[in-house]
Amino acid sequence: MACAALAVGIGLGACSPGADDAGAGEEVVDRRARRVVSLIPAATEILFALGAGNRLVGRTRWGVHPPEAVGVPDVGDGIRPSLEAVIARSPDLVVLFEGPDNEGVAARLADLGVASLSLRHNSLADLRRNVVALGEAVGCPAAAAALDARIAADLGAVAEATRGVDRVRVYYDVWADPPMTIGRGSFLDSLIALAGGRNVFGHLERPSPRVGLEAIVAGDPDVIVRPIRADAVDDAPLGERAGWETIRAVATNRIVYIDADLLGRLGPRVGEAALGLAAALHPELRLPSLPPPERLACPG
């Protein structure tokens, strides 16, 4: 059973009394996570979307969506976090980025008797798995299924709206020096495709590869997407970067600025992110409005 598998994987039983894998007359201990520290901003959003925001007792400093998350105590960074700050929240589950930087953290938490759940944060398939895993951890698989269906419907609506359009060649500007972009291992590559674009570095496997200026020029992007925080000012215009003036998108001033906090979150708002990209890449399209998210309930 999925419930039992999760219990083995993170040391929690997400099953409640009456679960179908309990033996007759067997007492089932309810070990659903009730005090969660989330060190992944997207996981914080997912838990709120599941109706389990009241289970959060700690968050990373970047986990500020939805607005209610700001009321959850900030325990600092999500990569190599302060264990002292995390443990001070008395969690029964800590949600971590999966990766070598946090392997020691997970091991130390286990030594302290605290369960952890490590999640990948690269692809849309990862998002589906994360929604299911978090729903199981807090004992709300039905809410997770509903959220997963809503996300799929949002992305499907954007894909339908851009079906048949001419694909715009896109360079996604992650970092200036050295130039860094996205490859097909990133969910952003998938969002660009859904939005009616074609990532000029979509042939690269790594999620965030470094590339050279010559390769960017050869990629001949029609549009450059620059993620930027909503309250930030662009203090490094692309036209002022040496050699970038030869890139068509720069020469024609087709630079698109999109909220980095929206694009960078592999969570419930990916449909909104895809829709924003579609509007930027294809301003000529009449795009749908996504329905407001259903308020889900996670009892217990």
Side-chain angles (χ1 to χ4, degrees), residues 44 48 53 56-59 63-74 89:
T44 299
F48 271 99
L56 283 161
V57 296
R59 61 172 175 86
V64 295
H65 295 283
E68 302 94 299
V70 177
V72 177
D74 174 0
R89 300 306 305 152

Side-chain angles (χ1 to χ4, degrees), residues 171-224:
Y171 175 74
Y172 192 95
D173 188 50
V174 173
W175 195 255
D177 187 19
M180 183 180 293
T181 186
I182 57 169
R184 70 167 175 261
S186 169
F187 70 92
L188 291 165
D189 178 77
S190 299
L191 293 190
I192 287 172
L194 285 167
R198 182 161 70 85
N199 176 15
V200 296
F201 288 102
H203 60 285
L204 300 181
E205 293 186 9
R206 295 184 60 188
S208 302
R210 291 183 179 181
V211 294
L213 176 59
E214 297 82 1
I216 300 172
V217 173
D220 194 28
D222 301 302
V223 177
I224 294 177

Side-chain angles (χ1 to χ4, degrees), residues 2-299:
C3 184
L6 186 69
V8 171
I10 65 172
L12 288 170
C15 314
S16 57
D20 57 10
D21 51 355
E26 179 182 346
E27 181 181 357
V28 179
V29 179
D30 181 2
R31 293 179 181 156
R32 291 174 292 179
R34 299 184 183 279
R35 294 185 60 84
V36 181
V37 169
S38 170
L39 298 179
I40 305 177
T44 299
E45 287 195 48
I46 290 169
L47 287 167
F48 271 99
L50 292 175
N54 61 336
R55 311 282 185 90
L56 283 161
V57 296
R59 61 172 175 86
T60 173
R61 70 185 60 190
W62 310 111
V64 295
H65 295 283
E68 302 94 299
V70 177
V72 177
D74 174 0
V75 298
D77 290 331
I79 303 296
R80 296 186 295 275
S82 164
L83 275 180
E84 182 179 19
V86 170
I87 295 301
R89 300 306 305 152
S90 301
D92 54 22
L93 176 65
V94 178
V95 182
L96 299 167
F97 282 108
E98 181 181 296
D101 286 331
N102 277 340
E103 286 177 358
V105 178
R108 181 64 180 134
L109 286 168
D111 290 342
L112 295 171
V114 178
S116 65
L117 174 60
S118 295
L119 302 177
R120 293 179 60 84
H121 191 265
N122 291 329
S123 68
L124 292 178
D126 289 337
L127 173 58
R128 299 199 70 177
R129 285 188 285 266
N130 295 348
V131 168
V132 171
L134 289 166
E136 292 281 3
V138 295
C140 294
L147 178 59
D148 178 54
R150 193 207 87 202
I151 292 171
D154 287 349
L155 293 174
V158 177
E160 179 62 26
T162 62
R163 186 158 57 104
V165 301
D166 291 334
R167 297 280 153 177
V168 176
R169 296 170 63 82
V170 177
Y171 175 74
Y172 192 95
D173 188 50
V174 173
W175 195 255
D177 187 19
M180 183 180 293
T181 186
I182 57 169
R184 70 167 175 261
S186 169
F187 70 92
L188 291 165
D189 178 77
S190 299
L191 293 190
I192 287 172
L194 285 167
R198 182 161 70 85
N199 176 15
V200 296
F201 288 102
H203 60 285
L204 300 181
E205 293 186 9
R206 295 184 60 188
S208 302
R210 291 183 179 181
V211 294
L213 176 59
E214 297 82 1
I216 300 172
V217 173
D220 194 28
D222 301 302
V223 177
I224 294 177
V225 174
R226 292 205 70 191
I228 190 168
R229 292 181 64 86
D231 57 354
V233 176
D234 182 14
D235 57 0
L238 294 176
E240 296 181 6
R241 297 181 187 175
W244 283 66
E245 70 279 359
T246 62
I247 300 171
R248 187 200 319 190
V250 177
T252 58
N253 198 33
R254 289 208 65 188
I255 316 298
V256 171
Y257 297 88
I258 298 186
D259 184 359
D261 282 340
L262 175 62
L263 281 181
R265 302 285 190 258
L266 185 57
R269 296 182 295 154
V270 292
E272 185 182 340
L275 189 65
L277 274 172
L281 300 183
H282 293 283
E284 77 283 0
L285 286 182
R286 188 170 186 174
L287 296 170
S289 296
L290 299 181
E294 176 187 359
R295 183 176 292 276
L296 301 174
C298 184

